[in-house]
Structure formats: C-alpha cells, structure tokens
Amino acid sequence: MTAGYSHDPHPDGAGTDTYTADAAEFYDLMATPYIAQVEPVLATLLADVDTIAGPVIDIGAGTGLSTVAIADALPDAEIVAVEPSPAMRAVLMSRLAARRDLRERITVVPHGFLDTNLPERCAAVAALGVIGHFDAPARRKVWATIANALAPGATAVIEVQRPGRVAAVSERRYTRARAGALRYEGWSRAQPVDAESLVWRMTYRTYDGDRLLQETVAAHRVWPAASERLTREAEAAGLLPASADADTGLLRFTKRP
C-alpha cells in the first residue's frame, strides 16, 4: 500500500523511496487497525470478480498487507503485486516465504506501476494508499493504464487518501501498539507545498516504559484528490463508477463492456 510510482515526479518534494525505507520497519505494526477496517470491505468489493478473466493487480503492494487481503478474498486468483520499494518488498517477500500457498500464485514485480508491463487482460486492479502519490498528469496515465489492462466488465478498487484536499493537518498520534516489552507510537502531520500537493511527515517513536529508545521521521509528498475528482478522472478513462464505501474511502469501478 505504498506508492506505485518509481520516483517522485517533482524533485523538490519528499521522495517516496526515502519514505518507504524509513517507514518499512514500523509499517505493519502501525497499519494493523487500518487493515482490520479495510479487509472486509475490500473482500465485499471484490466478491464478483471473475478470476478466470485474468490475474489481479495490486498496485503499490507495499509490505503485502493488501496483497494477502486480496489473496484471502479471492482464493482462486493469480495476483501480480507491483512494488518499487526494496525495503517494502523485503517484508512482502518474507511474508510470501512463510506461506507456500501464496508463493504459488503471487508474482512480485520490482518496478513502479507505470514502468510495469501488465498482462493484456486483468480480472481486477486494486490500489490502496497509492493514488495520491501520483500528480494529476501521472494520474491520467494511471487511469488509462488501468482501463487498458482490465477485461471488459472487470473491477478496479481505488482508495481515496484522506483528507482528499490540500490542507494543513496538525500533528496527532494516529495509532499506538505494543510488541514484547516495547511500546510504539505513530504520529502524523501535513504541510501544504502548493495548491495541488502537501508533505506528510510521519514520526515513529519506540518506548521502553517512559524512556524514548528510537525516533524515526519519514516524509513523503502527495497530491490529494477527492472522490468526486477521482471519479471524473476514472470516467474519462472509460471506467464506470459502481459503488463506494464512505468509511474506508474505497471506490469501485468497472470497465465498460
């Protein structure tokens, strides 16, 4: 669930590669509440996917949380997990190594989405926590690539990354977790760069009791877009809006027959 783009399209922005390298150590632990909320909704949105039509593409697979959720929802599906970050892929590959059943049907592609040669016909495409990593011109290419790859009537599930607009967000603790004797906290804040983009700064803190053992700051630039704007872009590429889940921000589209 990371950026599917192989580089930051604006050199003055925070690089995605740096962000994922810094965040990979903490990503799964911090994402546990998120994936618990998203997983059942994702399974519902993928319920009608015809896996005979082709593989399912997971754009920006990250550490594989979304990939495994797709695999569990569609036990007969072949899956292509696209992830450009070596740090995130290391966790993903470790996850696959522990599950032989997944290894046999999940292919991990070490490129950005727009640099990947996709199968000619795909049963579905999923992009969780990804679309905001593309600026507007790149998003047009993403939508066109998705539409071209999908089989007629096939499904695309795209997550609207909040807040969906450019606005400053003051620092807040968005999650905390424990592992063994240590406590972990995730903090986030956002600062606008211009009218179209902002930089998220994520701070990960590790505590032994009240003693701070480690603090890691990871920054990445995003181009927020509300669901209405993403829907217009999808329709322009030939995708039809099918359903939406307001709680998770997941949008489902289908390829025009």
Side-chain angles (χ1 to χ4, degrees):
M1 293 178 288
T2 62
Y5 202 50
S6 58
H7 64 283
D8 190 335
H10 292 272
D12 57 333
T16 295
D17 290 344
T18 301
Y19 160 68
T20 53
D22 292 336
E25 177 183 354
F26 310 97
Y27 191 86
D28 279 16
L29 199 60
M30 299 292 101
T32 299
Y34 162 84
I35 198 65
Q37 181 186 22
V38 166
E39 191 169 13
V41 178
L42 180 63
T44 298
L45 296 180
L46 294 175
D48 293 332
V49 168
D50 178 11
T51 56
I52 296 177
V56 177
I57 311 300
D58 185 14
I59 306 174
T63 62
L65 291 174
S66 56
T67 313
V68 172
I70 294 167
D72 290 341
L74 299 171
D76 297 326
E78 297 292 324
I79 300 169
V80 177
V82 180
E83 178 49 55
S85 165
M88 292 290 187
R89 279 201 316 276
V91 182
L92 169 56
M93 294 302 291
S94 179
R95 180 168 275 119
L96 297 187
R99 286 188 57 176
R100 184 180 180 87
D101 60 317
L102 296 184
R103 257 188 293 163
E104 293 177 349
R105 61 191 180 98
I106 295 176
T107 300
V108 179
V109 178
H111 301 302
F113 178 62
L114 294 178
D115 301 322
T116 299
N117 292 321
L118 298 177
E120 291 184 3
R121 287 170 58 90
C122 300
V125 169
L128 276 61
V130 170
I131 199 70
H133 291 278
F134 298 89
D135 63 11
R139 278 204 312 273
R140 286 194 290 272
K141 297 178 183 178
V142 170
W143 288 119
T145 303
I146 290 173
N148 289 336
L150 288 175
T155 293
V157 177
I158 310 296
E159 180 187 11
V160 181
Q161 291 170 265
R162 293 168 182 167
R165 67 186 188 283
V166 176
V169 179
S170 58
E171 188 172 51
R172 67 179 184 91
R173 184 179 64 196
Y174 67 92
T175 191
R176 57 183 172 182
R178 295 194 69 88
L182 302 183
R183 173 169 53 91
Y184 298 83
E185 295 183 355
W187 293 73
S188 64
R189 66 185 176 95
Q191 185 64 40
V193 175
D194 52 35
E196 290 288 320
S197 67
L198 53 80
V199 170
W200 279 104
R201 284 182 170 80
M202 319 298 290
T203 302
Y204 306 100
R205 299 187 176 108
T206 306
Y207 292 91
D208 184 356
D210 293 330
R211 182 164 63 96
L212 180 64
L213 296 182
Q214 181 184 15
E215 181 174 279
T216 301
V217 178
H220 63 291
R221 189 175 181 179
V222 297
W223 287 260
S227 59
E228 295 81 8
R229 181 173 181 179
L230 293 177
T231 298
R232 289 196 301 271
E233 293 174 353
E235 289 179 310
L239 301 177
L240 301 174
S243 61
D245 182 80
D247 292 335
T248 60
L250 295 184
L251 307 177
R252 184 170 73 91
F253 301 93
T254 58
K255 171 76 173 289
R256 285 196 180 109

